[in-house]
């Protein structure tokens, strides 16, 4: 099993994606795999990872998992910041 530690999570409206910056705790974490946004946090459960990107901030670079915002349609009460500071499970299948 793979795991990803979320440092910051937010909706990037210009690309209509949810961005989770952080680091891989246990790998691999790859596009097409599924990351669990727990239902206990009003998340939709497992959703597909669209891409992984490195984001350049003014002081550092950070790995980011990107999810298409439409994947959250089944969980309209999900607040992205609820997963900040958490380690999320990543699997190859739903």
């Amino acid at each position: 099993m793979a795991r990803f530690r979320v440092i910051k999570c937010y909706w990037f409206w210009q690309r209509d994606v949810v961005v989770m910056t952080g680091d891989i705790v246990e790998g691999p974490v790859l596009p097409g795999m599924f990351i669990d946004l727990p239902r206990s946090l009003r998340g939709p459960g497992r959703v597909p990872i669209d891409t992984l990107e490195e984001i350049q901030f003014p002081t550092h670079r950070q790995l980011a998992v990107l999810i298409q915002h439409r994947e959250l349609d089944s969980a309209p009460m999900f607040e992205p910041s609820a997963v900040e500071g958490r380690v999320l499970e990543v699997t190859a299948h739903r």
Side-chain angles (χ1 to χ4, degrees), residues 2 8 11 15 21-22 24 27 31 33 35 46 48 63 65 71-72 75 81 83 90 93:
K8 193 80 174 154
W11 175 44
R15 289 180 55 191
T21 63
I24 296 171
M33 296 179 86
I35 191 161
R46 297 189 188 283
L63 180 64
V65 168
E71 297 295 338
L72 304 178
S81 64
V83 296
V90 178
H93 56 356

Side-chain angles (χ1 to χ4, degrees), residues 18-66:
V18 173
V19 178
M20 290 186 281
T21 63
D23 52 81
I24 296 171
V25 174
E26 202 173 334
V29 174
L30 302 168
M33 296 179 86
F34 293 85
I35 191 161
D36 186 31
L37 302 178
R39 287 186 167 84
S40 62
L41 300 174
R42 297 184 179 169
R46 297 189 188 283
V47 294
I49 295 172
D50 187 50
T51 62
L52 266 70
E53 298 180 15
E54 279 198 352
I55 297 176
Q56 180 66 51
F57 291 99
T59 59
H60 66 286
R61 293 179 69 83
Q62 187 76 56
L63 180 64
V65 168
L66 278 65

